[in-house]
Amino acid sequence: MFAALYKEQLAQEGVAIDSVDVNHIPATTISIYPDEARKDLKALEIMLPGLSQAHRIIPTLAGLTMEDVRKAFSKYKPLPLGSAAKSEIDYEGKHLFTGEVVERMQIHLPLLRTGFGAVSYYVQQIEQLCKLRNLHPVLGSLLQTFLEEILFGEKTSLADQRLIVRLSDSDVSEHIREVFVPLVRSRTTTVEKRTDVGSPTKLSGWKPYQVTHSETHPALEAKNTLFNLVPCNRALEQVVTKFIDQAGDTAAFAKNAGPQCLRIDYLGGAGNLAFYTPDFIVRTKSGKHYVVETKGREDRDVPKKAMAAVSWCQSAGTKACAWEYLYIPQGVFERMKGSTVAELANACQPALRNLLESDESTASPSLFAIGFADADEKKSESPLVAAEVLNALPPRYRRAAEQATTLFRFMEGKPGSNYAAAFTGLLGPLDDAARELMLRRLTPAMPADAAEQQSWFAASLPRGTDNGTKKQYDQTALNLKKTLVFKSGTMPIGLLRTCLDMALNDRMRPGKVFEAIANGFKTSGDKRLLERIQQVYDFRNSYVARQQQELKDAGLAKCQIILWVDTLGMLAAEIRTTGNPQAEMPPKL
């Protein structure tokens, strides 16, 4: 519950986080940096204007009156007072083991919790929430009067026991915060015009920063960014990254992330000063700049963030360099058929206008975020992968399959789309499943003693064997040793393909490890599994991993996603029916 709360609150500030099981989803911390060695930084440069904030907190509170407090409270109902509590309690301290009474005392409750102490406590709470200090001279007397004359259904005093017993209750504290915090914020936050406060900032001057690279948050390569990689938080970000990188009018773009990123100040729903981090910054060949936000799910502060971003772009723009806020709802992007950033911006303009003209009570983003079809029509769309296939997958594999199908749907029908990005999230699960199957099939035959393992993995080929064949067996044996002993073998899906091929089509058994392969991979279903793994392996090398060819054929991509997910299901089924070689370790599935 708390993780979900933190995730939602941070997401509203532009900080996307994800909650994952560290034992199931491998993640790697990588550095994002201007890639001077491989990129033309000058050609891919983007300049951010140095603008002041539009909001400033005044350190002093003035002009707040009791009448303001009464007016703010008028929309709430008075709270009931409590019952008079016993002012003293008898305390006995007993020994933990013997039960012997070791001390007795009387505790006077009013000394521990008084009305005057509560006033000081709530003033401190308000100061922390409003990021101000020294408010007691103004708030102290107002808060005392509020407690004694307004909050409860009758007048009382800070010495009244009925009041004292209520001061720490949550309904009292919430009413105090809801009344006083907005009042303080409205009188200590000013709105000012953004002005130039310094020289523009070059993105090439950003310092390296770290991100987590995983299946759900991949860092993608792109040719039109000066950084080495583009970190992505959501599926929509991944496909927008590919779209912008391939768009015919893109001159340069960058993910807006890291400690030096563009953060736009705005006032949140509760009147608090907050900062919004857009997703991308784009410069087109015409010289126009875009601050880009991708939005798959609305939150309550989206209209306020959009208004702040539009205001920032208006202040940043000049006759020589125009800036525009590009707000991309998921539904609009799915329907958009253009191939340039300008076309995307034109398609998204109605959604942005609707957002800017709405407020929290009247906003209706579903038309743009979901699409013109209603929810029932959306649900009735033919799924890319059959539900029974998805439901049979372990949770992690199912999430990867759903992400792959979502990315494909995003790109489907868009001119020039390279569908390779849709397969990226499936690479890790396929490799993990291949590794797990090899561990389960081969580990039982592997000796536990390190000295015996040395000879067990050695390839003993007959004299006269050509060097190419010898090298192939030696490399396979070495990779198997890394996989089975150290769990660090390379390209597991390719190694599994080799094992299946050797078991089914190779009569040579040059060593005990190869005998284990022959015995472990010669079941009735392994021939079909080899055919599938070979198809996945060949397609992976041609279109996804090495990208020897661009994947522009939507029909081919669709067929291969279905095949990859089905192959993942075959591997998961084989793993389930194969014993765990290390019973003391929990299975990865």
Side-chain angles (χ1 to χ4, degrees):
M1 181 179 72
F2 288 107
L5 176 62
Y6 295 148
K7 183 176 180 179
E8 178 182 355
Q9 292 300 315
L10 289 173
Q12 293 177 19
E13 301 300 323
V15 182
I17 64 173
D18 196 11
S19 300
V20 296
D21 185 342
V22 295
N23 294 320
H24 288 183
I25 298 185
T28 303
T29 299
I30 59 175
S31 292
I32 305 298
Y33 56 88
D35 194 354
E36 189 174 4
R38 298 190 306 144
K39 305 287 185 73
D40 184 350
L41 300 192
K42 185 175 181 180
L44 299 173
E45 187 66 85
I46 297 177
M47 307 287 286
L48 284 179
L51 298 179
S52 63
Q53 290 185 191
H55 304 88
R56 182 168 60 91
I57 296 179
I58 303 171
T60 58
L61 176 63
L64 183 61
T65 66
M66 202 64 230
E67 190 59 34
D68 297 322
V69 176
R70 292 181 188 277
K71 185 177 179 180
F73 182 74
S74 62
K75 58 184 177 181
Y76 303 110
K77 293 181 179 180
L79 299 177
L81 282 169
S83 301
K86 185 179 179 181
S87 61
E88 296 180 349
I89 61 173
D90 295 323
Y91 166 77
E92 283 187 349
K94 295 184 178 181
H95 194 280
L96 180 63
F97 300 111
T98 66
E100 178 186 1
V101 176
V102 295
E103 61 178 334
R104 288 189 177 93
M105 68 176 69
Q106 282 188 331
I107 299 178
H108 297 270
L109 293 178
L111 296 177
L112 297 179
R113 190 174 59 181
T114 67
F116 296 101
V119 169
S120 297
Y121 168 77
Y122 282 117
V123 169
Q124 291 175 4
Q125 291 291 306
I126 295 169
E127 287 178 343
Q128 291 177 7
L129 291 170
C130 297
K131 299 180 175 60
L132 294 167
R133 300 179 65 183
N134 302 320
L135 296 184
H136 200 284
V138 177
L139 288 186
S141 60
L142 294 176
L143 191 53
Q144 179 176 345
T145 304
F146 177 73
L147 291 171
E148 292 180 335
E149 300 181 9
I150 300 175
L151 180 58
F152 299 99
E154 58 184 280
K155 289 188 178 182
T156 181
S157 72
L158 294 181
D160 191 332
Q161 284 296 313
R162 298 176 302 160
L163 172 62
I164 291 174
V165 298
R166 293 280 278 122
L167 288 177
S168 62
D169 291 343
S170 59
D171 59 340
V172 172
S173 62
E174 287 303 317
H175 278 73
I176 291 173
R177 290 186 179 93
E178 289 300 319
V179 169
F180 281 88
V181 170
L183 287 173
V184 172
R185 283 175 172 166
S186 65
R187 286 160 175 78
T188 57
T189 304
T190 63
V191 179
E192 302 174 343
K193 183 178 180 180
R194 299 181 191 274
T195 58
D196 289 326
V197 293
S199 301
T201 301
K202 293 183 177 181
L203 264 61
S204 61
W206 281 11
K207 296 179 180 179
Y209 61 94
Q210 282 68 49
V211 299
T212 298
H213 171 71
S214 67
E215 294 163 15
T216 55
H217 291 173
L220 306 178
E221 291 189 354
K223 64 179 183 296
N224 284 320
T225 181
L226 60 83
F227 294 95
N228 59 323
L229 296 168
V230 181
C232 298
N233 294 320
R234 302 181 299 273
L236 183 56
E237 282 192 18
Q238 295 178 48
V239 70
V240 168
T241 293
K242 291 296 183 182
F243 176 86
I244 294 174
D245 192 40
Q246 297 166 5
D249 59 345
T250 298
F253 82 103
K255 179 64 187 294
N256 185 43
Q260 296 172 276
C261 67
L262 170 64
R263 303 177 74 226
I264 301 174
D265 61 296
Y266 73 102
L267 290 181
N272 58 303
L273 180 59
F275 290 89
Y276 158 49
T277 305
D279 292 327
F280 300 96
I281 302 167
V282 179
R283 174 171 61 83
T284 62
K285 293 177 180 178
S286 67
K288 192 170 188 177
H289 290 67
Y290 292 91
V291 173
V292 180
E293 172 70 15
T294 60
K295 186 59 63 177
R297 180 179 65 88
E298 305 291 342
D299 63 61
R300 64 178 180 268
D301 277 350
V302 166
K304 299 181 184 299
K305 294 176 182 178
M307 286 186 277
V310 169
S311 173
W312 188 93
C313 289
Q314 290 172 347
S315 298
T318 63
K319 291 183 179 180
C321 180
W323 282 83
E324 182 177 324
Y325 181 56
L326 173 51
Y327 174 79
I328 309 176
Q330 177 175 320
V332 176
F333 185 80
E334 288 176 344
R335 296 188 297 273
M336 207 277 299
K337 303 299 182 183
S339 59
T340 65
V341 176
E343 288 175 301
L344 178 60
N346 289 335
C348 292
Q349 280 182 359
L352 177 60
R353 178 52 52 192
N354 176 74
L355 186 67
L356 294 175
E357 293 176 353
S358 68
D359 58 34
E360 294 177 22
S361 60
T362 61
S364 179
S366 59
L367 174 66
F368 299 100
I370 297 176
F372 293 103
D374 60 26
D376 292 334
E377 291 180 72
K378 198 72 176 175
K379 291 179 181 177
S380 66
E381 287 184 357
S382 176
L384 195 63
V385 178
E388 58 268 22
V389 175
L390 288 174
N391 293 335
L393 293 173
R396 177 196 166 197
Y397 296 170
R398 183 170 64 250
R399 288 194 296 271
E402 290 170 345
Q403 182 186 35
T405 58
T406 299
L407 286 172
F408 174 81
R409 292 299 192 194
F410 281 162
M411 292 182 282
E412 191 176 19
K414 290 182 173 55
S417 290
N418 185 343
Y419 295 93
F423 293 82
T424 304
L426 291 170
L427 292 175
L430 281 166
D431 275 340
D432 286 350
R435 183 186 299 108
E436 184 65 22
L437 183 58
M438 287 185 289
L439 285 168
R440 295 189 178 218
R441 293 277 187 95
L442 300 178
T443 301
M446 182 181 69
D449 182 73
E452 294 180 17
Q453 289 176 1
Q454 190 70 23
S455 60
W456 194 77
F457 282 105
S460 303
L461 293 161
R463 288 186 178 182
T465 303
D466 64 90
N467 290 334
T469 302
K470 186 177 186 305
K471 183 178 180 181
Q472 178 186 354
Y473 279 101
D474 287 340
Q475 288 179 340
T476 300
L478 178 60
N479 201 5
L480 279 168
K481 184 175 183 180
K482 291 179 179 179
T483 299
L484 301 181
V485 179
F486 305 107
K487 313 297 187 294
S488 61
T490 58
M491 200 180 294
I493 195 73
L495 184 58
L496 176 60
R497 178 194 63 87
T498 299
C499 288
L500 289 165
D501 185 49
M502 285 183 170
L504 296 168
N505 303 314
D506 190 351
R507 295 183 178 275
M508 294 183 66
R509 305 287 185 264
K512 294 182 179 180
V513 66
F514 298 103
E515 292 177 3
I517 291 173
N519 295 328
F521 291 96
K522 211 168 187 178
T523 64
S524 58
D526 283 343
K527 184 175 182 180
R528 181 167 173 265
L529 182 60
L530 173 59
E531 293 173 355
R532 284 295 189 86
I533 295 296
Q534 186 69 58
Q535 288 177 289
V536 170
Y537 182 75
D538 291 341
F539 186 86
R540 171 190 184 276
N541 290 341
S542 297
Y543 293 101
V544 183
R546 300 175 184 172
Q547 295 197 22
Q548 298 169 349
Q549 306 174 51
E550 285 195 334
L551 183 54
K552 301 288 189 178
D553 189 332
L556 174 62
K558 180 179 180 179
C559 291
Q560 284 294 321
I561 285 179
I562 296 172
L563 183 140
W564 278 41
V565 174
D566 192 57
T567 303
L568 192 56
M570 291 175 63
L571 287 169
E574 289 293 333
I575 291 170
R576 283 194 295 268
T577 57
T578 304
N580 188 357
Q582 295 176 310
E584 71 278 5
M585 297 181 63
K588 292 185 178 180
L589 297 182

